[in-house]
Tab-separated table of all heavy atoms in Angstrom:
chain	number	residue	atom	x	y	z
A	1	PRO	N	8.042	23.895	1.493
A	1	PRO	CA	6.632	23.888	1.904
A	1	PRO	C	6.049	22.474	1.798
A	1	PRO	O	6.580	21.616	1.085
A	1	PRO	CB	5.965	24.823	0.880
A	1	PRO	CG	7.079	25.447	0.090
A	1	PRO	CD	8.248	24.529	0.189
A	2	LEU	N	4.971	22.246	2.496
A	2	LEU	CA	4.244	20.991	2.363
A	2	LEU	C	3.202	21.117	1.273
A	2	LEU	O	2.463	22.101	1.211
A	2	LEU	CB	3.547	20.630	3.687
A	2	LEU	CG	4.440	20.429	4.908
A	2	LEU	CD1	3.579	20.083	6.119
A	2	LEU	CD2	5.474	19.348	4.663
A	3	SER	N	3.132	20.108	0.403
A	3	SER	CA	2.020	20.070	-0.542
A	3	SER	C	0.840	19.330	0.068
A	3	SER	O	-0.301	19.516	-0.349
A	3	SER	CB	2.436	19.420	-1.867
A	3	SER	OG	2.853	18.084	-1.670
A	4	ARG	N	1.133	18.467	1.078
A	4	ARG	CA	0.072	17.847	1.867
A	4	ARG	C	0.646	17.500	3.235
A	4	ARG	O	1.633	16.771	3.326
A	4	ARG	CB	-0.469	16.590	1.189
A	4	ARG	CG	-1.738	16.051	1.876
A	4	ARG	CD	-2.360	14.938	1.086
A	4	ARG	NE	-1.715	13.663	1.339
A	4	ARG	CZ	-1.990	12.541	0.678
A	4	ARG	NH1	-2.854	12.561	-0.320
A	4	ARG	NH2	-1.370	11.421	0.977
A	5	PRO	N	0.060	17.997	4.315
A	5	PRO	CA	0.570	17.681	5.651
A	5	PRO	C	0.419	16.193	5.964
A	5	PRO	O	-0.432	15.499	5.390
A	5	PRO	CB	-0.314	18.532	6.576
A	5	PRO	CG	-0.915	19.580	5.697
A	5	PRO	CD	-1.054	18.956	4.342
A	6	GLY	N	1.244	15.716	6.889
A	6	GLY	CA	1.168	14.323	7.297
A	6	GLY	C	2.374	13.947	8.132
A	6	GLY	O	3.087	14.811	8.658
A	7	GLN	N	2.610	12.647	8.255
A	7	GLN	CA	3.715	12.150	9.068
A	7	GLN	C	5.053	12.544	8.453
A	7	GLN	O	5.335	12.220	7.298
A	7	GLN	CB	3.644	10.624	9.175
A	7	GLN	CG	4.827	10.024	9.924
A	7	GLN	CD	4.858	8.504	9.835
A	7	GLN	OE1	3.851	7.872	9.562
A	7	GLN	NE2	6.024	7.915	10.052
A	8	PRO	N	5.930	13.201	9.209
A	8	PRO	CA	7.270	13.496	8.690
A	8	PRO	C	8.059	12.212	8.459
A	8	PRO	O	7.917	11.228	9.187
A	8	PRO	CB	7.908	14.330	9.811
A	8	PRO	CG	6.764	14.858	10.599
A	8	PRO	CD	5.705	13.800	10.537
A	9	LEU	N	8.881	12.224	7.429
A	9	LEU	CA	9.708	11.073	7.078
A	9	LEU	C	11.181	11.434	7.221
A	9	LEU	O	11.575	12.591	7.040
A	9	LEU	CB	9.424	10.632	5.644
A	9	LEU	CG	7.974	10.271	5.310
A	9	LEU	CD1	7.849	9.899	3.830
A	9	LEU	CD2	7.470	9.141	6.186
A	10	ASP	N	11.995	10.420	7.504
A	10	ASP	CA	13.439	10.644	7.549
A	10	ASP	C	14.015	10.883	6.167
A	10	ASP	O	15.023	11.580	6.017
A	10	ASP	CB	14.133	9.434	8.179
A	10	ASP	CG	13.820	9.288	9.653
A	10	ASP	OD1	14.139	10.217	10.411
A	10	ASP	OD2	13.236	8.260	10.044
A	11	PHE	N	13.405	10.278	5.153
A	11	PHE	CA	13.846	10.483	3.771
A	11	PHE	C	12.630	10.664	2.890
A	11	PHE	O	11.655	9.913	2.976
A	11	PHE	CB	14.649	9.285	3.261
A	11	PHE	CG	15.041	9.401	1.813
A	11	PHE	CD1	16.118	10.179	1.432
A	11	PHE	CD2	14.301	8.758	0.821
A	11	PHE	CE1	16.466	10.313	0.095
A	11	PHE	CE2	14.648	8.881	-0.514
A	11	PHE	CZ	15.732	9.661	-0.880
A	12	ASP	N	12.690	11.654	2.026
A	12	ASP	CA	11.609	11.876	1.066
A	12	ASP	C	12.161	12.660	-0.112
A	12	ASP	O	13.314	13.109	-0.097
A	12	ASP	CB	10.459	12.639	1.720
A	12	ASP	CG	9.135	12.433	0.990
A	12	ASP	OD1	9.089	11.617	0.039
A	12	ASP	OD2	8.144	13.076	1.371
A	13	LYS	N	11.348	12.794	-1.139
A	13	LYS	CA	11.692	13.615	-2.292
A	13	LYS	C	10.556	14.583	-2.565
A	13	LYS	O	9.391	14.280	-2.278
A	13	LYS	CB	11.930	12.749	-3.537
A	13	LYS	CG	13.166	11.874	-3.477
A	13	LYS	CD	13.332	11.097	-4.787
A	13	LYS	CE	14.574	10.228	-4.787
A	13	LYS	NZ	14.724	9.499	-6.061
A	14	THR	N	10.896	15.742	-3.137
A	14	THR	CA	9.850	16.681	-3.527
A	14	THR	C	9.027	16.086	-4.666
A	14	THR	O	9.485	15.212	-5.399
A	14	THR	CB	10.446	18.036	-3.932
A	14	THR	OG1	11.339	17.840	-5.048
A	14	THR	CG2	11.213	18.661	-2.774
A	15	THR	N	7.798	16.561	-4.804
A	15	THR	CA	6.822	15.854	-5.633
A	15	THR	C	7.033	16.009	-7.138
A	15	THR	O	6.546	15.179	-7.904
A	15	THR	CB	5.397	16.322	-5.282
A	15	THR	OG1	5.350	17.747	-5.302
A	15	THR	CG2	5.006	15.853	-3.896
A	16	VAL	N	7.753	17.017	-7.584
A	16	VAL	CA	7.938	17.221	-9.029
A	16	VAL	C	9.364	16.869	-9.451
A	16	VAL	O	9.587	15.926	-10.218
A	16	VAL	CB	7.600	18.670	-9.438
A	16	VAL	CG1	7.851	18.866	-10.936
A	16	VAL	CG2	6.147	18.981	-9.109
A	17	ALA	N	10.355	17.588	-8.951
A	17	ALA	CA	11.742	17.369	-9.378
A	17	ALA	C	12.392	16.176	-8.689
A	17	ALA	O	13.397	15.651	-9.171
A	17	ALA	CB	12.565	18.625	-9.141
A	18	GLY	N	11.848	15.756	-7.553
A	18	GLY	CA	12.457	14.638	-6.836
A	18	GLY	C	13.712	15.025	-6.078
A	18	GLY	O	14.632	14.219	-5.933
A	19	THR	N	13.754	16.246	-5.551
A	19	THR	CA	14.887	16.679	-4.740
A	19	THR	C	14.846	15.951	-3.396
A	19	THR	O	13.829	15.989	-2.702
A	19	THR	CB	14.823	18.199	-4.516
A	19	THR	OG1	14.924	18.862	-5.781
A	19	THR	CG2	15.943	18.668	-3.605
A	20	PRO	N	15.936	15.288	-2.995
A	20	PRO	CA	15.916	14.510	-1.753
A	20	PRO	C	15.995	15.401	-0.503
A	20	PRO	O	16.798	16.329	-0.449
A	20	PRO	CB	17.164	13.626	-1.856
A	20	PRO	CG	17.663	13.777	-3.259
A	20	PRO	CD	17.193	15.101	-3.738
A	21	ILE	N	15.171	15.067	0.492
A	21	ILE	CA	15.124	15.787	1.760
A	21	ILE	C	15.350	14.780	2.887
A	21	ILE	O	14.709	13.723	2.922
A	21	ILE	CB	13.766	16.495	1.940
A	21	ILE	CG1	13.462	17.412	0.725
A	21	ILE	CG2	13.744	17.277	3.241
A	21	ILE	CD1	14.461	18.524	0.491
A	22	LEU	N	16.251	15.129	3.827
A	22	LEU	CA	16.684	14.196	4.865
A	22	LEU	C	16.482	14.748	6.268
A	22	LEU	O	16.631	15.947	6.495
A	22	LEU	CB	18.195	13.920	4.735
A	22	LEU	CG	18.787	13.514	3.410
A	22	LEU	CD1	20.293	13.391	3.569
A	22	LEU	CD2	18.192	12.210	2.940
A	23	SER	N	16.211	13.843	7.206
A	23	SER	CA	16.277	14.201	8.617
A	23	SER	C	17.740	14.257	9.064
A	23	SER	O	18.647	13.826	8.346
A	23	SER	CB	15.527	13.164	9.453
A	23	SER	OG	16.239	11.935	9.466
A	24	GLU	N	17.959	14.754	10.266
A	24	GLU	CA	19.315	14.812	10.829
A	24	GLU	C	19.922	13.419	10.938
A	24	GLU	O	21.117	13.230	10.676
A	24	GLU	CB	19.279	15.496	12.205
A	24	GLU	CG	20.556	15.361	13.015
A	24	GLU	CD	21.771	15.947	12.324
A	24	GLU	OE1	21.650	16.998	11.653
A	24	GLU	OE2	22.856	15.338	12.435
A	25	ARG	N	19.131	12.417	11.316
A	25	ARG	CA	19.681	11.064	11.471
A	25	ARG	C	20.142	10.501	10.128
A	25	ARG	O	21.171	9.823	10.047
A	25	ARG	CB	18.644	10.139	12.113
A	25	ARG	CG	18.351	10.469	13.561
A	25	ARG	CD	17.717	9.287	14.260
A	25	ARG	NE	16.464	8.886	13.642
A	25	ARG	CZ	15.931	7.668	13.755
A	25	ARG	NH1	16.555	6.724	14.441
A	25	ARG	NH2	14.770	7.393	13.178
């Protein structure tokens, strides 16, 4: 889920645990 909507990123982490989330590229 989003905790705050905005520009999608190719790389990010979740806001508490820091789980990495990646785009297909």
Side-chain angles (χ1 to χ4, degrees):
L2 299 180
S3 61
R4 190 172 82 186
Q7 176 189 339
L9 303 178
D10 292 300
F11 176 80
D12 202 5
K13 292 182 179 181
T14 60
T15 50
V16 178
T19 297
I21 306 299
L22 309 177
S23 70
E24 168 60 37
R25 291 199 300 157

